Amino acid sequence: IQTRRVLSEASSGDELSAIALAYHGRHPRNSAGNGSLMRTGVVALPFLGHGAAAASEAVAVSNLTHADRRCADACVLWTLAVGSAIDGGTIPDIRAGLEHVPSERHDRWIAVIDEAESREPGVFTPNGYVIKAFQAAWSSITHSRSANDHLRSALVQAVRIGNDTDTVAAIAGTLLGAAYGASRIPNEWVTELHGWPGYDTGDLRRVARSAAGVSS
């Protein structure tokens, strides 16, 4: 909803980030949606091994539509975790990204993460709010770690929470995919992949390689 409202004003000629900031000013209590967290994980790809740059770009991409600092912080933590997952081939401790979040907000985020790890995924609903979406995705990942097929189990768990289920699954999926790779995605899911404008699995793979700076 928030992304659509900001983009709908883009024809005014103003920079998106300025429109988003103005929206935040008009709706300070209703501008911390989960839309930017859903899309920023990919920012990690061109900045692997460069945490500060990845964090800066994650904030910039988030700010295009979501000017609330909670959205920016969530995007920084998740983007850096994606980068670490690609480098290490496993799910990292998402707290590691806190070094790139202002120190005055560390305690708040530690409490958010601790709650996600201590409570079952199903309690994090409704999850249109960025903090709840973050917790829902992280809880789904955390509470399915013992499963033989962690990627599948965590994504199924994320979907089953309900409410803004596609967004929560997309958030969780960026980190799970980064850790385990495309080969771990169930084939029956891969064959159904599609995107705009008419992209199929091969097209999406090509776009991913391009984002990472890898030749086809």
Side-chain angles (χ1 to χ4, degrees):
I1 295 171
Q2 184 177 342
T3 300
R4 182 174 67 246
R5 287 178 177 173
V6 170
L7 292 179
S8 69
E9 298 180 27
S11 60
S12 67
D14 293 331
E15 291 287 338
L16 276 178
S17 56
I19 296 172
L21 185 60
Y23 179 89
H24 177 57
R26 295 193 304 271
H27 308 280
R29 296 187 177 183
N30 194 32
S31 58
N34 59 22
S36 66
L37 181 56
M38 178 176 67
R39 68 171 188 262
T40 49
V42 70
V43 171
L45 291 175
F47 297 102
L48 296 177
H50 302 281
S56 177
E57 290 300 314
V59 171
V61 171
S62 179
N63 283 347
L64 290 173
T65 52
H66 293 64
D68 193 289
R69 65 188 184 185
R70 290 167 291 184
C71 299
D73 288 351
C75 290
V76 167
L77 292 174
W78 210 265
T79 296
L80 293 177
V82 167
S84 295
I86 293 171
D87 286 336
T90 189
I91 301 293
D93 183 352
I94 204 162
R95 296 170 184 80
L98 283 171
E99 64 176 305
H100 296 287
V101 171
S103 59
E104 64 269 20
R105 301 201 286 273
H106 284 191
D107 288 347
R108 166 60 174 153
W109 276 105
I110 290 171
V112 164
I113 295 166
D114 287 348
E115 184 181 23
E117 293 176 346
S118 64
R119 304 187 71 187
E120 292 295 322
V123 307
F124 298 108
T125 185
N127 40 51
Y129 170 44
V130 66
I131 300 295
K132 287 289 186 182
F134 179 102
Q135 290 179 304
W138 186 242
S139 182
S140 296
I141 292 171
T142 299
H143 285 86
S144 55
R145 280 183 183 268
S146 61
N148 290 331
D149 190 344
H150 188 200
L151 184 147
R152 176 196 283 269
S153 297
L155 286 176
V156 169
Q157 181 73 265
V159 169
R160 286 179 174 168
I161 295 173
N163 193 242
D164 200 355
T165 189
D166 58 326
T167 301
V168 172
I171 295 165
T174 57
L175 185 49
L176 291 160
Y180 299 116
S183 64
R184 295 289 292 275
I185 301 173
N187 188 60
E188 63 269 28
W189 295 0
V190 173
T191 57
E192 296 297 327
L193 282 174
H194 61 279
W196 184 91
Y199 282 0
D200 61 13
T201 303
D203 295 314
L204 294 172
R205 284 177 172 149
R206 173 177 52 77
V207 170
R209 292 189 183 101
S210 176
V214 177
S215 62
S216 301

